[in-house]
Amino acid sequence: MEQALTRITTLLMFVWLLSLVIAAHAQEIVTLPTRSGVTQSFLIASLPQNPQAVAVLFPGSGGLIRLRQEKGEIRFGPNNFLVRSRDEFVKRGVVAVIVDAPSDYQSGGGMSDDFRLGTDHFTDISAVIVDIAKRFPGPPIFLIGTSRGTISAAALGTRFGSQLAGVVLTSTVFRQSSGRAGESGRGLSRFDFGTMKIPVLFVHHVSDQCGVTPYGDAARLADKYPLISVFGGRPPESGPCDALSAHGYLGKESETVEEIVNWMVKKPFRQEVR
């Protein structure tokens, strides 16, 4: 009887310790006060055991993924390339931090290009960077944007400077556009990439058919900055400027993230993903 109780006690202790480990590595929504009356939320994906770096991820369009809790579960828009690839970063030792639009841009199309380029966005993300640096002291912090998220990553990379280890721009919005809210504006058409004094990596699919993110514009920068060119993948399941297409690396997510992470942690990386 005594041996049976001992075994049960040991088993319960193991279950308790396991629950602590699972809790420590679970997803978490963090909401911070930033500007007057404004909050900024972000998602910390399940954590790697030995973090090698932190990636602050900026989704495309208006950056609006609507982070929320519903019936005890974390919910958010899942389709964006960086959002759906978060576990690809985690399993390679990178803490994935996904930024939502701030509370004053939670309606309509989310963040405008001008907001992403401006000082209020910098104020919001400064609070995020401070919080992340406290949570994960030591690992280098990178900003990674995709599509319109590259506007945030580039503009913030210039403002933060040496506080960051680098910036990754995937499917960069090189050209001005007009259209629905969250998908129009000047993009990075007037941006001087030379103002970023930290390492910059461009990533682009050679078959990106979105009119404001042509591969040729990325290729023309390859003599100044490293460029990862992505080939192939699955047939598109969305429009050419949406996430489930070559613009969002559909079917090539794992291989693309692998080379991004190799660049981040200073390992050899392939300049072509096929």
Side-chain angles (χ1 to χ4, degrees):
M1 183 69 174
E2 185 176 342
Q3 288 181 337
L5 288 173
T6 300
R7 285 197 296 270
I8 291 172
T9 301
T10 302
L11 179 60
L12 290 173
M13 181 65 72
F14 173 77
V15 171
W16 177 71
L17 289 172
L18 181 61
S19 68
L20 289 180
V21 171
I22 293 172
H25 292 270
Q27 296 184 125
E28 178 184 0
I29 294 176
V30 180
T31 300
L32 304 173
T34 55
R35 295 167 281 126
S36 178
V38 174
T39 59
Q40 173 68 63
S41 295
F42 58 92
L43 175 74
I44 302 176
S46 302
L47 299 179
Q49 290 186 344
N50 298 299
Q52 302 299 304
V54 177
V56 181
L57 308 176
F58 295 90
S61 190
L64 185 58
I65 61 171
R66 292 190 169 90
L67 281 170
R68 61 199 185 278
Q69 288 268 3
E70 287 184 356
K71 298 180 180 179
E73 294 188 3
I74 293 175
R75 303 285 188 185
F76 49 87
N79 285 338
N80 181 265
F81 161 59
L82 293 177
V83 177
R84 69 176 189 269
S85 301
R86 61 194 181 280
D87 289 341
E88 298 293 341
F89 285 96
V90 172
K91 73 183 184 182
R92 292 173 174 84
V94 176
V95 178
V97 176
I98 305 172
V99 177
D100 198 359
S103 61
D104 55 341
Y105 280 85
Q106 282 289 312
S107 61
M111 293 180 284
S112 67
D113 290 10
D114 285 344
F115 176 81
R116 288 186 185 270
L117 290 161
T119 57
D120 283 349
H121 192 34
F122 176 66
T123 298
D124 294 343
I125 304 306
S126 292
V128 174
I129 297 298
V130 168
D131 184 87
I132 289 299
K134 288 179 180 177
R135 291 171 185 267
F136 308 104
I141 299 174
F142 293 80
L143 305 185
I144 304 181
T146 196
S147 193
R148 303 206 95 84
T150 59
I151 303 168
S152 291
L156 294 167
T158 295
R159 292 178 182 273
F160 280 117
S162 60
Q163 289 178 257
L164 303 173
V167 168
V168 182
L169 304 177
T170 76
S171 304
T172 303
V173 180
F174 289 108
R175 301 190 181 185
Q176 185 169 339
S177 63
S178 60
R180 60 190 180 186
E183 296 181 7
S184 63
R186 56 178 156 154
L188 292 171
S189 61
R190 302 176 218 162
F191 186 79
D192 180 2
F193 294 102
T195 58
M196 288 188 285
K197 304 303 182 184
I198 53 177
V200 179
L201 171 69
F202 284 89
V203 181
H204 223 99
H205 200 293
V206 298
S207 299
D208 191 332
Q209 298 299 306
C210 183
V212 297
T213 62
Y215 172 74
D217 286 12
R220 280 188 282 274
L221 291 171
D223 60 338
K224 296 181 179 179
Y225 305 98
L227 168 65
I228 294 174
S229 299
V230 182
F231 296 76
R234 288 175 15 212
E237 300 172 15
S238 71
C241 293
D242 295 323
L244 302 180
S245 66
H247 181 71
Y249 309 93
L250 185 66
K252 302 299 286 188
E253 295 91 343
S254 181
E255 301 97 314
T256 301
V257 171
E258 181 174 4
E259 300 313 322
I260 290 172
V261 172
N262 285 342
W263 177 84
M264 292 168 65
V265 299
K266 301 186 185 305
K267 290 182 179 179
F269 65 94
R270 290 181 294 158
Q271 292 183 311
E272 291 188 353
V273 173
R274 294 182 180 268

